[in-house]
Amino acid sequence: MERLSLGPNGAILFCMEYIETNMEKLKEMVTSQKAYVIFDCPGQVELYTHHTAFRNIVGAISKWGMQLCVVSMVDSHYCTDPSKFISVLLTSLSSMLHLELPHINVLSKIDLIDKMGPLAFKLNFYTEVLDLSYLLDELDERVCSKRFIKLNHALTGLVEDYNLVSFYPLNVQDIGSLHRLCKAVDKANGYVYGELEERTVVGLSQSESGVDLEFEHDKSLQYDNR
């Protein structure tokens, strides 16, 4: 960073561009044996929304015979503010369209959500991205938002028109929550259909029907926002 006079974000972009032009070492590392590989990527959203280096990297990896999916983690505290949640929706949608990979969006830290402030709606409103006009009602009541009413309507309309974004809630204290997320990821990247997974008639039929992948509205994830 000092030699190239780069800041933190610039350094991350430089590293991604370096990997993009030097893929052989990465290929050697990830294809030397059959394995379930997890790439823990930086949090800079520009890498996934419009910069081309990361998209080119995952495109190259896909050509090596690896089945990829994206797991995008979003802090659940964004649900407490309508404007922040709309920003999260737009970022998630942009990443999904830019990377063109199976995508699992996750609302993390659900176990801490009560400490982050009250939610305007129940949790399933945010995970299933239900009628966003209710969020607009919350925004329109704010003095600072009245100038942008038409823009807010256009942005939420864009999200609803694509109808692609939804979220899995993740509570690290709940084994069931972790299991549902793992099953969703395994189905999205095709692992459940591959030779590395023990293939049973029951397991495959559950995966095909989505039995284990549905979000269960159990008591631990219900919030009466009073």
Side-chain angles (χ1 to χ4, degrees), residues 12-24:
I12 289 292
L13 294 177
F14 175 83
C15 289
M16 286 297 170
E17 291 170 355
Y18 181 84
I19 293 173
E20 180 189 7
T21 56
N22 297 273
M23 295 290 291
E24 290 304 315

Side-chain angles (χ1 to χ4, degrees), residues 113-128:
I113 200 167
D114 282 334
K115 301 177 182 179
M116 300 173 185
L119 297 179
F121 312 101
K122 289 188 175 181
L123 184 60
N124 68 316
F125 175 88
Y126 301 95
T127 57
E128 298 171 18

